[in-house]
Amino acid sequence: LIPAVRASSGLYSCLVTNEVGTSQVVDIASVYVEDVPEVILTVDPVTPVSEPKKENVTLICDPLPPDETLLQVKWFLDGELLKKLPECGFKNDSMYGNDKTFTKAVDSLCNMDPTKIILENVGRNFHGN
């Protein structure tokens, strides 16, 4: 498979035929191809927001095609890391013990949709590319 692309993923087998007969399928190869995701970034609202109104802006980073194996999304403002989602890297930190309230809060951070970020009360400090 040259080049192997995501659409190349699947189950492969082969049959060989000669003048005596055809072989039987004795094995199947499972091929899974990963590639670098492509994304579309959408902004809501699409119109400029008013600083005095302290509006929220939602950014959505949609991978193409939809990627169920997506591990994390890093959000940047002017090239600087703003947020890495999901935020659950500290879940196994022994410092916090087995507090059920804390565990529930951590689970909610781990189960959030990393492709969406909401900028709350947007002001001029969020102006960037």
Side-chain angles (χ1 to χ4, degrees):
L1 304 171
I2 301 174
V5 295
R6 187 182 299 238
S8 304
S9 295
L11 298 174
Y12 289 82
S13 62
C14 64
L15 294 173
V16 178
T17 303
N18 63 16
E19 51 281 339
V20 177
T22 301
S23 69
Q24 293 185 4
V25 175
V26 291
D27 208 355
I28 296 174
S30 176
V31 175
Y32 178 72
V33 179
E34 292 183 349
D35 56 3
V36 176
E38 294 181 36
V39 298
I40 292 180
L41 180 62
T42 55
V43 181
D44 183 36
V46 294
T47 57
V49 295
S50 171
E51 183 176 21
K53 291 182 181 177
K54 298 189 182 282
E55 297 174 280
N56 295 342
V57 174
T58 301
L59 302 173
I60 300 173
C61 183
D62 280 324
L64 296 173
D67 189 350
E68 56 281 341
T69 64
L70 184 74
L71 298 176
Q72 67 174 264
V73 176
K74 292 180 182 176
W75 290 94
F76 293 87
L77 174 62
D78 289 334
E80 293 208 23
L81 183 63
L82 185 63
K83 190 69 98 171
K84 182 169 53 170
L85 298 174
E87 295 179 300
C88 57
F90 54 87
K91 185 173 184 173
N92 295 322
D93 191 334
S94 60
M95 182 173 117
Y96 295 102
N98 292 324
D99 182 329
K100 290 182 181 179
T101 304
F102 177 78
T103 302
K104 188 174 183 180
V106 168
D107 285 344
S108 71
L109 292 175
C110 292
N111 294 326
M112 67 187 316
D113 180 1
T115 65
K116 183 188 293 187
I117 189 168
I118 299 173
L119 307 175
E120 296 178 334
N121 303 320
V122 172
R124 69 185 75 212
N125 58 325
F126 282 104
H127 179 80
N129 291 311

